[in-house]
Amino acid sequence: VVEAVLARFRAIPENLKTPLYIIGTFILAYLLIEYTPLIDPIPPIWQQQIVNALSLGGLYALIAIGYTMVYGVLQMINFAHGEIFMLGAFAGLWVFNQTTDLHDNAAGLVILMAMIAAMAWSGICALALERIAYRPLRRAPRLVPLISAIGASFFLAQLVNVILRGRPQPVPRVFPEGSIQIGDAEVDYIRLFLIVMSFVFMLALFYFIRLTRTGKSIRAIAEDKDVAALMGINVDRTIQITFLLGAILAGAAGVLYSLFIPTLTGTMGFIPGLKAFTAAVVGGIGNIPGAMVGGYFLAFAETLGVQAAFEIDPELGAEASGYKDAIAFTLLVLVLIFRPYGIFGEEVGKKRA
Amino acid sequence: MSTGGGDFYDDNWGRFVNSLRNARHAVGSAIASPFRGVRPALQPLVDRWVSLDPRVRVLWALIPTVLVLLFPQETTSNPQAFSLIGVGLFLLLGAISPVTTLVLLIVAVLIVINMREVPSELFSSGPGEYPLDTGPEILLIILPVAIAVAYALHVWKGADFRMLCAILVLASLPLTLALGPSAEPRTFVLFLVAFNILLGLGLNVVVGYAGLLDLGFVAFFAIGGYAWALMSTEATGGDFAAPLGIIDANFWIITIVAVFLAASVGVLLGIPVLRLRGDYLAIVTLGFGEIIRIIATNADGEGVPGNLTNGVFGIRQIGNPNPFPEIDLGLFSIGGELISHSEAFWLTMVCALAVGFVSEQLRNSKVGRAWEAIREDEEVAQGMGINTVHYKLLAFGMGAAIGGLGGAIRTSHFSAVTPADFQLIVSINVLAIVIIGGMGSVRGVVLGAFILAGIPEILRDVTLKSIVDGGMNIFFLHFIPGLPELGEALQAGPVWIVENLPDANLLGIADKWGLAQKQGQELRLMLFGLLLVIMMIVRPQGLSPSPRRQAEVEMIEEEKAEEAGEAAGFHEGALGEPVGGDLQQPEPSPGSARYRSETE
């Protein structure tokens, strides 16, 4: 029976699936909020963890999209993507620090400006990175651009650390505090904002890829670069746009992330970057909707995994939160072993196998 | 070398890259022929010098060198510069062949490393003060003589000069290492270089031979280190009792078990992961390295796995049984109670030599050819009937075993392991050594380890001022023998130059820019990153590539140039930069340059 349902699900055309996922998630969220009795049996702590997972997942998904898009067009892991995310966070911090007068009166404006600055700065950095470190190596053996990307990643992270003299930079608390009650969960505005914004960005990207001419050329290049070139698509420009799109989302994620954490450092992009890559692989690398779902999947696995350990034994739970990062990597290894093309990456996987 | 790559980068960035490449060629040839600039003027003299009997030439070259070396050392302000000049003179006058020059350069580097004083805080044991004494200076005399002897034997008896040089140089090293405690700390730097060579050779098998990008080398290093620590711990400071502590354990047994453990973990990880494509491997190994570190940090007895590693505090007071039997010949003794820096150096060096020898042999065998085929095109290799998973697993396991050996040696020498010792930078450091030296080349790894591990250590103390000052002292006080007054008078003139030179080493300069000293590691990691990117753009085959890798890169460049040439004519205008074909995996064609035999 399960097989039959799965088969029917697989038969749905690819371009219909993502809106289905998104609409489904919205309906789920709506149900959760509107019909709190539905989730009443869920203990409060779990409701809280679900909200946490949703916000964390949005973050992972935003970063993972950048990995998966670049992989789609270039078949290359853009190792420095976590650093693009970090640079975006710093651009946002710069705006925060420039506009201290406005924090109380116009927090919304400040955050909007920070987002725009972060997206622009991340985009510029990603274009420069593509130009300097990747484009000269486009036709080199596979290992060469990968090593170059690793080098670029370390260079950027440590450059920021060296410039900042290794001092973590405190982030001012810009976002108005407060929370609403959903079921038994106390949802901070800041979390709600993250959840909504990540949805908005993902939807925007999704429709950009599906509906615009540029999006079409990105998909064409992901299919076959040479044929796309013969069809008159400017391959270089499209690859640049791909980097730019990924970086814009990463920059936005950087600002959203910096609203949560007390300080920023140059190496802050490393672990989120790795996690997001894991999310991209879980969803099937090269597959944009897959990356989104993968991000949420990973976040749920992490958050609820730790919570489950707490339920079993508080001591075990304390231990498990220490191993939280290990959970993600273990999941990565397991997915790669049992479903190398990701949970949702069947079509893509077959093509590239 | 295809220097005319200019045609396939048809834009400004491409021109910049090409100008970098050309600059590299210019620098290379300038280094290769130091006499080029002055040659027209000196041609008759040089001709005469070269036409001399080599034996006579070496003897002539020895005269000023020995003179420099025999002068009283106390009068020089800087023995490092002193020894550099001594060796430099020999190099210049004895310039016999490029190969000899290279060998002598390495000797010079060894001497300078050996002469460097290392601050005593770096060491867990040993005396606090290290005045320069006889050890290294004796080496200064022994080495030129040894090389001269080697050369003489080469000319008279037709022996292999390079081999003899290597043997004699290696044989004369322990003389400096064993002479007194003062030579001891300086050998620490030698130990570091040898240690990096060992690790680099291990990763070279994985990355260089089989083409598997392993970013989690540190995991096996950590497993070897922790295994060794757990098996040999005598006692720890706090409440941590080693579960497996074996007092008076035999060094070799523990080491072998640690290596075996690391190798088995490598194989266990490799079985599922090596079926995947290369870039997944990079991420999985990276994640694995982090997992091991996380486990080491968290396995502190407050939860699941029990107290295995004592958490962030690590395992301390590890017993370090000495690997060598006790031999005491008065001046020369090894095998004391604790392992010394020179013994650690020798141990590491012997291991590195063994690993280098084995991996060279493997490369030239059926296994090595299988690795090469897998590296170049896995699908074709599979099609040719090679069991790719089997051979990849072999390479991965070998790398893991050597990483474990490195960890064991490190623990045995440093007597403490903490999770902080096994950060990602270890993997990146080793990777940089392999890539900068030249993937798949043992020579390249040695070169890379010298450049990345040795030279920063030397440069830590050498400043422009110290070099110039020392050189002037030697020049004015020793080359005008009998007339020290005249020398001092002459020196008074240029002395202000010396005084005005910046007396700062690299870290000092970094300080001047406002970078705190504790940021040395961050600076280093940043420069490694930059170096990796630049190497990939300018010289992806490394400084001293294996001939096959070199040919591979050249062939790809040629193909790219051809392709770009055709394409540029074909797609003009709207399509922008020409689009290459599927050259990510060059098609192997028998008979091409790539398949020429190894010439080593």
Side-chain angles (χ1 to χ4, degrees):
Chain A
V1 177
V2 176
E3 269 307 307
V5 171
L6 272 180
R8 178 160 294 185
F9 183 72
R10 282 189 199 119
I12 301 173
E14 174 64 15
N15 57 352
L16 282 180
K17 256 188 217 173
T18 306
L20 276 184
Y21 292 142
I22 293 171
I23 292 165
T25 322
F26 268 125
I27 292 172
L28 202 71
Y30 176 78
L31 289 177
L32 281 176
I33 295 167
E34 204 59 22
Y35 298 98
T36 39
L38 264 184
I39 56 170
D40 264 353
I42 304 177
I45 184 75
W46 283 90
Q47 295 180 20
Q48 191 71 51
Q49 293 293 16
I50 287 170
V51 173
N52 292 352
L54 271 178
S55 55
L56 192 62
L59 206 65
Y60 287 162
L62 283 183
I63 311 174
I65 288 169
Y67 278 107
T68 222
M69 278 172 59
V70 169
Y71 194 92
V73 295
L74 286 181
Q75 276 82 53
M76 181 198 95
I77 298 173
N78 178 12
F79 232 91
H81 193 63
E83 273 59 46
I84 297 293
F85 160 80
M86 176 271 293
L87 289 169
F90 271 99
L93 178 68
W94 182 77
V95 171
F96 288 158
N97 286 338
Q98 295 299 311
T99 57
T100 34
D101 309 342
L102 300 172
H103 282 188
D104 294 334
N105 306 324
L109 181 69
V110 170
I111 287 170
L112 182 72
M113 273 157 55
M115 290 274 231
I116 291 170
M119 285 163 17
W121 177 237
S122 287
I124 291 168
C125 290
L127 288 184
L129 184 73
E130 194 267 338
R131 192 79 187 79
I132 293 169
Y134 301 152
R135 195 184 298 179
L137 307 174
R138 191 142 329 138
R139 290 181 294 257
R142 285 190 78 87
L143 216 51
V144 170
L146 190 59
I147 292 168
S148 176
I150 293 165
S153 159
F154 279 90
F155 174 70
L156 288 176
Q158 300 303 332
L159 180 70
V160 171
N161 263 355
V162 165
I163 290 173
L164 300 175
R165 315 260 187 285
R167 285 193 290 267
Q169 302 291 303
V171 188
R173 295 292 92 195
V174 181
F175 208 87
E177 290 188 10
S179 57
I180 57 165
Q181 189 82 18
I182 298 176
D184 287 327
E186 195 70 12
V187 184
D188 299 339
Y189 288 139
I190 196 166
R191 277 193 194 280
L192 202 62
F193 180 67
L194 204 168
I195 294 170
V196 172
M197 284 310 277
S198 49
F199 265 122
V200 170
F201 276 114
M202 277 185 264
L203 271 185
L205 178 89
F206 181 78
Y207 286 108
F208 183 84
I209 297 286
R210 285 292 154 200
L211 301 181
T212 64
R213 231 179 131 74
T214 320
K216 205 177 205 173
S217 56
I218 290 176
R219 281 180 288 142
I221 286 184
E223 286 285 334
D224 191 324
K225 224 184 289 177
D226 298 334
V227 175
L230 289 176
M231 296 293 147
I233 292 170
N234 186 337
V235 175
D236 270 333
R237 206 177 66 94
T238 312
I239 289 172
Q240 279 176 347
I241 290 171
T242 312
F243 269 91
L244 189 68
L245 285 176
I248 284 174
L249 294 187
V255 173
L256 293 174
Y257 186 58
S258 73
L259 294 173
F260 276 91
I261 55 174
T263 54
L264 304 185
T265 63
T267 40
M268 64 173 263
F270 181 69
I271 291 289
L274 268 185
K275 297 262 185 75
F277 177 79
T278 308
V281 171
V282 167
I285 193 147
N287 178 348
I288 295 170
M292 301 177 186
V293 178
Y296 286 104
F297 182 81
L298 181 66
F300 272 92
E302 257 183 34
T303 320
L304 302 188
V306 171
Q307 185 57 35
F310 259 114
E311 296 288 318
I312 297 164
D313 178 9
E315 205 168 286
L316 186 72
E319 196 66 20
S321 58
Y323 288 110
K324 210 171 108 184
D325 293 345
I327 292 176
F329 298 129
T330 316
L331 189 71
L332 173 67
V333 175
L334 291 179
V335 167
L336 285 179
I337 294 167
F338 295 109
R339 286 189 73 93
Y341 300 104
I343 298 177
F344 302 98
E346 205 110 20
E347 296 86 350
V348 182
K350 270 181 195 148
K351 199 171 66 203
R352 301 233 163 80
Chain B
M1 213 32 239
S2 62
T3 48
D7 13 7
F8 64 94
Y9 293 142
D10 53 346
D11 53 6
N12 286 327
W13 175 251
R15 259 176 239 127
F16 172 65
V17 168
N18 277 314
S19 68
L20 274 185
R21 285 178 194 223
N22 292 338
R24 173 176 45 83
H25 281 286
V27 170
S29 56
I31 291 170
S33 68
F35 297 118
R36 187 196 273 166
V38 286
R39 186 155 259 176
L42 295 177
Q43 195 61 51
L45 271 177
V46 172
D47 280 351
R48 195 147 171 221
W49 179 250
V50 172
S51 68
L52 281 177
D53 188 302
R55 283 160 275 182
V56 182
R57 207 166 54 183
V58 170
L59 285 181
W60 275 108
L62 266 180
I63 291 171
T65 317
V66 171
L67 276 180
V68 169
L69 299 175
L70 289 183
F71 269 107
Q73 304 267 323
E74 302 78 46
T75 51
T76 61
S77 71
N78 190 312
Q80 284 149 345
F82 188 87
S83 56
L84 264 184
I85 287 174
V87 178
L89 271 173
F90 185 74
L91 282 179
L92 203 68
L93 291 170
I96 304 159
S97 72
V99 179
T100 338
T101 316
L102 190 75
V103 171
L104 289 178
L105 261 177
I106 292 173
V107 172
V109 171
L110 276 173
I111 291 171
V112 177
I113 293 172
N114 218 22
M115 301 211 48
R116 193 186 143 252
E117 282 186 87
V118 181
S120 53
E121 303 91 79
L122 276 179
F123 305 98
S124 50
S125 60
E129 290 290 316
Y130 303 104
L132 280 168
D133 72 354
T134 49
E137 284 75 12
I138 283 181
L139 186 71
L140 281 182
I141 298 170
I142 289 170
L143 284 178
V145 173
I147 290 161
V149 168
Y151 192 66
L153 279 174
H154 166 63
V155 172
W156 280 316
K157 299 279 178 189
D160 183 353
F161 176 68
R162 270 188 284 178
M163 187 58 80
L164 268 176
C165 262
I167 292 171
L168 285 173
V169 168
L170 281 176
S172 52
L173 277 176
L175 282 173
T176 65
L177 305 183
L179 283 173
S182 61
E184 184 76 339
R186 294 188 284 268
T187 56
F188 180 67
V189 181
L190 275 180
F191 164 71
L192 279 185
V193 172
F195 187 64
N196 277 290
I197 291 176
L198 175 66
L199 292 184
L201 287 174
L203 191 63
N204 186 41
V205 174
V206 187
V207 179
Y209 292 169
L212 307 166
L213 189 56
D214 178 3
L215 296 180
F217 197 62
V218 68
F220 308 115
F221 186 54
I223 289 171
Y226 269 105
W228 209 94
L230 288 173
M231 284 184 286
S232 73
T233 309
E234 280 181 342
T236 52
D239 44 359
F240 177 64
L244 305 166
I246 305 163
I247 303 172
D248 290 334
N250 184 308
F251 175 92
W252 295 107
I253 293 175
I254 310 181
T255 305
I256 288 167
V257 175
V259 167
F260 183 75
L261 203 67
S264 1
V265 173
V267 170
L268 283 181
L269 177 73
I271 287 171
V273 165
L274 286 174
R275 283 181 303 175
L276 304 169
R277 283 231 320 246
D279 21 13
Y280 282 134
L281 184 74
I283 290 282
V284 170
T285 49
L286 182 70
F288 184 65
E290 286 293 299
I291 290 178
I292 292 289
R293 197 170 57 81
I294 292 168
I295 290 176
T297 313
N298 283 293
D300 53 0
E302 290 176 12
V304 195
N307 196 352
L308 204 59
T309 64
N310 205 21
V312 285
F313 303 109
I315 304 173
R316 287 164 202 281
Q317 291 183 11
I318 296 163
N320 358 13
N322 201 306
F324 297 108
E326 199 166 338
I327 300 171
D328 194 348
L329 302 174
L331 201 61
F332 177 85
S333 68
I334 61 166
E337 208 161 295
L338 297 174
I339 187 166
S340 65
H341 290 310
S342 54
E343 282 162 352
F345 165 73
W346 277 103
L347 177 69
T348 320
M349 204 63 212
V350 169
C351 290
L353 281 176
V355 168
F357 179 75
V358 170
S359 56
E360 276 288 282
Q361 294 303 310
L362 274 179
R363 196 186 64 171
N364 295 327
S365 71
K366 183 185 161 198
V367 178
R369 287 192 296 275
W371 281 339
E372 231 147 59
I374 291 169
R375 190 184 71 203
E376 299 199 356
D377 193 323
E378 203 176 327
E379 277 156 33
V380 173
Q382 204 152 22
M384 299 306 283
I386 295 170
N387 184 347
T388 56
V389 174
H390 172 82
Y391 283 108
K392 286 202 283 187
L393 210 54
L394 183 65
F396 202 67
M398 260 191 81
I402 298 165
L405 178 64
I409 288 178
R410 187 195 176 284
T411 308
S412 77
H413 190 43
F414 285 21
S415 44
V417 279
T418 62
D421 299 331
F422 304 109
Q423 310 234 4
L424 185 64
I425 180 156
V426 179
S427 304
I428 300 299
N429 199 346
V430 182
L431 184 71
I433 285 172
V434 173
I435 284 166
I436 282 158
M439 283 184 273
S441 145
V442 171
R443 241 180 341 168
V445 170
V446 175
L447 190 67
F450 263 109
I451 292 175
L452 291 187
I455 289 181
E457 292 294 320
I458 300 166
L459 290 184
R460 195 173 282 184
D461 282 357
V462 175
T463 70
L464 189 59
K465 185 175 178 177
S466 70
I467 292 174
V468 175
D469 197 15
M472 285 207 174
N473 269 329
I474 292 159
F475 184 77
F476 287 109
L477 296 181
H478 296 305
F479 280 133
I480 314 178
L483 287 174
E485 298 84 8
L486 179 63
E488 274 171 39
L490 284 175
Q491 201 179 6
V495 96
W496 66 270
I497 303 177
V498 177
E499 275 170 4
N500 286 305
L501 281 174
D503 189 13
N505 54 21
L506 285 183
L507 270 181
I509 293 169
D511 262 348
K512 220 170 235 173
W513 293 339
L515 305 171
Q517 281 234 357
K518 64 176 175 131
Q519 279 194 279
Q521 200 196 8
E522 285 164 4
L523 206 59
R524 205 176 159 135
L525 202 49
M526 181 186 104
L527 292 178
F528 278 175
L530 192 62
L531 209 56
L532 286 183
V533 176
I534 292 175
M535 281 301 286
M536 285 302 108
I537 294 173
V538 178
R539 198 178 159 89
Q541 70 271 42
L543 289 177
S544 172
S546 63
R548 194 161 295 197
R549 179 72 76 160
Q550 169 84 37
E552 197 176 305
V553 170
E554 276 172 25
M555 199 185 72
I556 291 171
E557 284 190 0
E558 279 160 24
E559 277 180 25
K560 270 199 283 189
E562 277 169 27
E563 185 95 7
E566 285 167 19
F570 181 60
H571 321 267
E572 259 174 349
L575 293 181
E577 197 171 290
V579 182
D582 185 19
L583 283 178
Q584 286 166 351
Q585 305 272 333
E587 293 197 309
S589 50
S592 73
R594 198 142 45 102
Y595 286 86
R596 75 180 175 202
S597 60
E598 315 265 347
T599 49
E600 287 222 15

